[in-house]
Amino acid sequence: MRIAAILVAGLAGLAGLAGCSRAPQSLSLFDEVRQGHFQTGRPGSPGLTFARAPEAVTLTAAHERRPAVLTAVDTWTWHGRIPERAELFGGVQILPEGWAVIRGFEAKVTLRAGRTSEVLAVARSDRQDPQRWVDFSTDLADWAGREVTLEFAARLDGLPAKHRHSNVVAWSPVRLAAAGAQVRRPNILFIVVDTLRADHTTPYGYKRETTPNLERLLAGPGVVAENAYSQAPWTLPSVTSFLTGCYPGELLGDNFAAYGIPADVKSLAQRMSALGYQTGGFYANRTLHSGNGFDRGFDTFYSPAATEPDAAELNARALPWLGAHRRDPFFLYVHYIDPHDPYVNPEVVDNRTPFYPEYRGKVAGNWIHGIYNGRLKLEDPERDVAQVVALYDTEIHYADRFVGELIEAIPPDVLEDTLIVFTADHGEELHDHGGWKHGYTLYDEQIHVPLFLRWDGHLPAGRRLPGTVRLLDLVPTLLDAVGEKPDPALPGVSLLPALAGKAALPRLPAFAQHMMTGPLRAAVVLDRKKLILFNGRTPFAPADDLQKYLWTLDLARLKRVELYDLAKDPGERANRAAGAADRRTPEDLRRLEPLIHRQLDRERPG
């Protein structure tokens, strides 16, 4: 029941605060208790006072781990001076085992100043999801400069008398954040929308306005990387790669079910935590969990165990964290899943999507896996495929709405010090090359992903960055942005000079491989030329009916060698590997093929 930690820098030296003329910039209950900066006894003294000694622990409730302070139900207090433009943020829950007897809880925060008292917040357990953290916040601007006492009290319905003096109430966070704090390094907001192909977003010229917020809040005031590539066409190897800055094939073996961040490899969150950042990670994709290392480096961490939350629910968890930590350097990673199948969200009503309201067929958003595995057949292929595309586009539009909500929750003065990165782990095939979903092929619909970076005052607004970019370059780029020296162990490079328009983009190939069951598929992109190799001659025995179906499909549609000119043929329809129609083909082949083999040799010597 120990709690892993993070509230924010703060309460240092609060003892004696009542007599100070200089108000602190932030308060952090967890940090103060962890450092022993509290007293026990009767309230009224400066700083923190508890009836009984509290505990700084790490607690998981409803799959969300937080650094927390455990107290008894006795009232505890903080006495000090309220800073200018201050806000109080709080969260509360009880020990999970307490729910065996406790029927609900209520937490209350009261402010007292002389003879004046005011109830600032009341938080009650959710009847539908009682074990979920309950967050609250309140504006304290009216009390700025005044010496006050904040009283925190909890009432537990059904708590046995013998446990009244036990530490069963978890407070996380309790923070007093004030505007105007000095930020030495930029905040980092890293946003990922799962299964989002670049060519279905507004900034990349899509025919539908699927992502108006990405256009307005990121592409317009930031930089668009026109040709960004993930290093794998599905989540686990791709996210492992861009959160470590390494090629997935160099980190992971052949057991794809066990893919994750290796224990001896630093994640981006670990690097940011070591630099003093407050770190929060909120994943909607349940394959990215603590068991495979995706929690390492995050003080606050959420990943679902079963039902994956939509963008609205994920924001309900991420936004309180952002509010509580936005006044100190923070690293926040938010991973939405909405475009991933099934393509179902509140914008689809009676199986009608706003992008294709005239459709009258049977295909619905929960059909996609059945179509993918060949068990559901399309009765009217032309209209049914159009329906699937419209459903997918509606998912993107829904996610875009909450990405906008997240970014707009950042106050303007904080946004000035915040670098926002937006990308996707991979794309989605929508029958482009005869298949569906993702994971097995390396065509652009699966590995060409959106990439936007916004950093006001540092990156030029509206810039389009041509050239090939790899997602594994993001770790070096962010380390560069926060003032860290390059890590020679990383294969990527910092994109920051090119993004800022101060240097040319390094001319480096983007390598990708499928990292899934079946014989090897690998690809490389450079100078808008793309080579895909498929080793279909390797003996392969599918383990089940799904693998057998997909393998049969791939044998029929994939060639051993495929070469495309993406500038002239973005849909990858004209395979130039044969060279009959273009004299330059042999040169492109000779130039690109060694790039694939050199990378494979690094991964599998010999």
Side-chain angles (χ1 to χ4, degrees), residues 176-438:
L176 185 60
Q182 295 297 316
V183 177
R184 293 187 300 273
R185 301 177 186 264
N187 306 309
I188 304 294
L189 172 57
F190 197 133
I191 305 171
V192 175
V193 171
D194 207 295
T195 321
L196 176 61
R197 50 191 283 177
D199 63 348
H200 277 241
T201 65
T202 305
Y204 288 87
Y206 191 46
K207 62 183 180 181
R208 289 170 171 157
E209 194 178 42
T210 52
T211 58
N213 286 311
L214 296 187
E215 178 68 41
R216 178 174 61 90
L217 297 172
L218 292 174
V223 181
V224 178
E226 294 183 341
N227 304 301
Y229 284 89
S230 63
Q231 276 49 78
W234 62 290
T235 297
L236 281 172
S238 176
V239 178
T240 296
S241 178
F242 68 65
L243 287 185
T244 61
C246 301
Y247 284 103
E250 295 181 15
L251 298 181
L252 310 173
D254 293 326
N255 181 15
F256 68 89
Y259 282 178
I261 299 177
D264 59 346
V265 176
K266 283 185 180 179
S267 69
L268 181 57
Q270 287 175 298
R271 293 177 184 272
M272 291 297 167
S273 180
L275 293 173
Y277 278 79
Q278 307 299 313
T279 56
F282 296 85
Y283 295 78
N285 189 321
R286 62 182 177 178
T287 66
L288 305 169
H289 53 77
S290 60
N292 52 17
F294 290 97
D295 67 322
R296 291 206 304 274
F298 287 114
D299 301 300
T300 297
F301 175 79
Y302 167 75
S303 178
T307 303
E308 294 171 321
D310 71 0
E313 184 178 345
L314 192 66
N315 269 15
R317 293 178 179 274
L319 286 172
W321 189 95
L322 177 60
H325 297 84
R326 68 195 185 199
R327 294 300 175 184
D328 287 282
F330 66 80
F331 172 69
L332 173 59
Y333 179 91
V334 183
H335 189 121
Y336 300 94
I337 198 171
D338 299 82
H340 197 290
D341 72 292
Y343 308 150
V344 177
N345 67 74
E347 293 185 8
V348 179
V349 180
D350 295 331
N351 202 34
R352 301 290 177 267
T353 162
F355 291 128
Y356 192 16
E358 64 270 27
Y359 179 72
R360 294 296 180 267
K362 298 178 181 178
V363 174
N366 58 4
W367 276 44
I368 310 307
H369 192 71
I371 298 172
Y372 164 77
N373 64 28
R375 295 182 180 179
L376 291 176
K377 304 299 181 183
L378 303 182
E379 297 178 356
D380 186 345
E382 181 178 353
R383 290 182 176 83
D384 290 345
V385 170
Q387 165 73 347
V388 172
V389 173
L391 290 166
Y392 172 75
D393 288 347
T394 306
E395 282 276 88
I396 296 172
H397 188 264
Y398 183 73
D400 175 78
R401 170 182 163 191
F402 292 96
V403 170
E405 179 184 69
L406 179 69
I407 295 172
E408 290 184 321
I410 305 174
D413 61 320
V414 177
L415 189 61
E416 291 176 359
D417 294 316
T418 301
L419 168 55
I420 305 174
V421 178
F422 176 96
T423 191
D425 51 352
H426 56 79
E428 185 82 319
E429 183 175 1
L430 301 168
H431 207 54
D432 303 74
H433 289 91
W436 300 93
K437 293 180 57 171
H438 53 268

Side-chain angles (χ1 to χ4, degrees), residues 3-343:
I3 291 186
I6 207 179
L7 285 166
V8 92
L11 248 121
L14 283 183
L17 180 63
C20 296
S21 59
R22 183 179 177 185
Q25 294 300 306
S26 63
L27 302 180
S28 168
L29 173 66
F30 179 82
D31 288 344
E32 286 303 290
V33 171
R34 181 178 55 177
Q35 296 167 18
H37 297 165
F38 64 88
Q39 55 205 340
T40 57
R42 300 184 64 179
S45 300
L48 288 167
T49 304
F50 298 87
R52 294 167 182 80
E55 301 173 67
V57 297
T58 299
L59 186 69
T60 299
H63 311 294
E64 183 176 338
R65 185 189 69 206
R66 296 186 180 186
V69 170
L70 292 181
T71 72
V73 293
D74 307 280
T75 298
W76 59 274
T77 64
W78 174 79
H79 185 87
R81 198 177 301 278
I82 301 297
E84 295 291 331
R85 298 167 60 194
E87 295 174 275
L88 176 68
F89 296 90
V92 66
Q93 188 43 252
I94 65 171
L95 291 179
E97 54 266 36
W99 287 106
V101 293
I102 294 170
R103 296 184 293 275
F105 67 78
E106 178 182 280
K108 183 167 65 174
V109 183
T110 304
L111 180 148
R112 300 190 188 279
R115 297 181 179 181
T116 302
S117 67
E118 178 182 335
V119 176
L120 298 178
V122 177
R124 298 182 177 88
S125 53
D126 188 328
R127 292 185 179 182
Q128 301 300 318
D129 190 5
Q131 297 194 39
R132 180 169 174 168
W133 291 99
V134 179
D135 294 292
F136 57 88
S137 63
T138 186
D139 189 339
L140 296 178
D142 290 345
W143 298 92
R146 297 184 62 179
E147 188 176 308
V148 305
T149 297
L150 300 180
E151 296 181 350
F152 297 79
R155 180 178 60 80
L156 276 56
D157 186 11
L159 178 69
K162 64 179 180 179
H163 293 303
R164 177 170 176 77
H165 302 308
S166 302
N167 286 341
V168 293
V169 183
W171 300 87
S172 175
V174 174
R175 297 170 54 81
L176 185 60
Q182 295 297 316
V183 177
R184 293 187 300 273
R185 301 177 186 264
N187 306 309
I188 304 294
L189 172 57
F190 197 133
I191 305 171
V192 175
V193 171
D194 207 295
T195 321
L196 176 61
R197 50 191 283 177
D199 63 348
H200 277 241
T201 65
T202 305
Y204 288 87
Y206 191 46
K207 62 183 180 181
R208 289 170 171 157
E209 194 178 42
T210 52
T211 58
N213 286 311
L214 296 187
E215 178 68 41
R216 178 174 61 90
L217 297 172
L218 292 174
V223 181
V224 178
E226 294 183 341
N227 304 301
Y229 284 89
S230 63
Q231 276 49 78
W234 62 290
T235 297
L236 281 172
S238 176
V239 178
T240 296
S241 178
F242 68 65
L243 287 185
T244 61
C246 301
Y247 284 103
E250 295 181 15
L251 298 181
L252 310 173
D254 293 326
N255 181 15
F256 68 89
Y259 282 178
I261 299 177
D264 59 346
V265 176
K266 283 185 180 179
S267 69
L268 181 57
Q270 287 175 298
R271 293 177 184 272
M272 291 297 167
S273 180
L275 293 173
Y277 278 79
Q278 307 299 313
T279 56
F282 296 85
Y283 295 78
N285 189 321
R286 62 182 177 178
T287 66
L288 305 169
H289 53 77
S290 60
N292 52 17
F294 290 97
D295 67 322
R296 291 206 304 274
F298 287 114
D299 301 300
T300 297
F301 175 79
Y302 167 75
S303 178
T307 303
E308 294 171 321
D310 71 0
E313 184 178 345
L314 192 66
N315 269 15
R317 293 178 179 274
L319 286 172
W321 189 95
L322 177 60
H325 297 84
R326 68 195 185 199
R327 294 300 175 184
D328 287 282
F330 66 80
F331 172 69
L332 173 59
Y333 179 91
V334 183
H335 189 121
Y336 300 94
I337 198 171
D338 299 82
H340 197 290
D341 72 292
Y343 308 150

